Amino acid sequence: MSAAELDKAMQLLVRQIVHWQQPRWSAIATAGNVSRADLVHRLVQEIANLAADAEGEPRRVVPRLDNDLALPDQLRVVTADLVAADPGAEALARAAAEVAATRSAL
């Protein structure tokens, strides 16, 4: 797995969700019993955790902002942080798998 492949997966998800308004974010995701916003925020947190692990830093809670429309930007930022941390192929593959699973669950 390469950083370019992770970026492509992330961009596909962002293109799917970036235009959503609040009612779509509040809807229940196809898989599970959580809102779409909660599902994407969970993904953002997971990628942030992978970045922290790759940097050898402690994991930190990604704030849940009041406006769900910020979630695509948060996803872009934490993905860029992960790539900048120069993780191994395993971490990149795990992140890409999480992105793909989230995309399918929405």
Side-chain angles (χ1 to χ4, degrees), residues 10-95:
M10 184 270 302
Q11 290 298 335
L12 286 171
L13 176 56
V14 167
R15 278 190 290 242
Q16 178 181 341
I17 64 176
V18 73
H19 63 279
W20 287 2
Q21 296 300 315
Q22 192 57 48
R24 256 181 121 173
W25 283 111
S26 299
I28 299 299
T30 304
N33 194 22
V34 297
S35 72
R36 290 171 171 167
D38 289 340
L39 192 63
V40 173
H41 185 264
R42 186 204 58 79
L43 172 64
V44 167
Q45 183 65 61
E46 181 61 29
I47 293 175
N49 290 346
L50 290 170
D53 293 348
E55 294 170 341
E57 295 291 328
R59 292 180 173 187
R60 295 178 186 90
V61 175
V62 176
R64 180 64 191 268
L65 302 176
D66 292 336
N67 189 343
D68 292 331
L69 283 85
L71 285 165
D73 290 330
Q74 283 186 304
L75 180 58
R76 287 181 183 120
V77 168
V78 296
T79 302
D81 288 348
L82 176 59
V83 170
D86 196 25
E90 183 178 323
L92 292 171
R94 184 168 168 203

